[in-house]
Amino acid sequence: METELMLKGYGLTTAQVYYHMPDYAHVLNTFTWQEYDIGPDYPKLFKFIEFWQREIEGPLHSVEFTHRKMIAPGEWRNVTGEFTLH
C-alpha cells in the first residue's frame, strides 16, 4: 500500500509535536507522529493537529515536521529480466 501511495506522489511526513503536560504547565513533552501525506498542503498532518487541539488535554507548544518523497512516479520502472555476470 505504501508503494501505491508513493507512486501517487505521497511521501513520508514525520512530525515532532511539543506540548505542555496538562497537570504541569511548565513541563514540555514530545510526541512523534508519522504518516504518508502529500505536500504542500499536508491534509493528514493538519487533520491530526486539529484532532489534537480538539481532543487532547495537553496544549500544543509547537510542531516541527519533515517530508520526504521516497520515490517519484518517474523513478519507478518495471524490471522484466535480470542478468548475472560471473
Side-chain angles (χ1 to χ4, degrees), residues 15-20 28-31 48-49 52-53 58-65:
Q16 190 73 22
V17 178
Y18 297 90
Y19 64 97
H20 294 281
L28 200 58
N29 206 355
T30 62
F31 177 79
F48 171 74
I49 292 171
W52 185 289
Q53 292 174 328
L60 289 176
H61 175 272
S62 59
V63 177
E64 296 177 350
F65 74 96

Side-chain angles (χ1 to χ4, degrees), residues 7-68:
L7 290 172
K8 293 178 182 177
Y10 283 75
L12 187 62
T13 302
T14 304
Q16 190 73 22
V17 178
Y18 297 90
Y19 64 97
H20 294 281
M21 297 292 290
D23 296 335
Y24 303 97
H26 298 293
V27 176
L28 200 58
N29 206 355
T30 62
F31 177 79
T32 303
W33 175 88
Q34 274 191 326
E35 185 67 52
Y36 285 95
D37 207 353
I38 192 162
D41 296 330
Y42 305 103
K44 291 183 180 183
L45 174 62
F46 285 105
K47 185 176 179 181
F48 171 74
I49 292 171
E50 290 170 1
F51 166 80
W52 185 289
Q53 292 174 328
R54 187 178 61 249
E55 302 291 332
I56 307 295
E57 291 182 23
L60 289 176
H61 175 272
S62 59
V63 177
E64 296 177 350
F65 74 96
T66 184
H67 179 78
R68 171 81 170 125

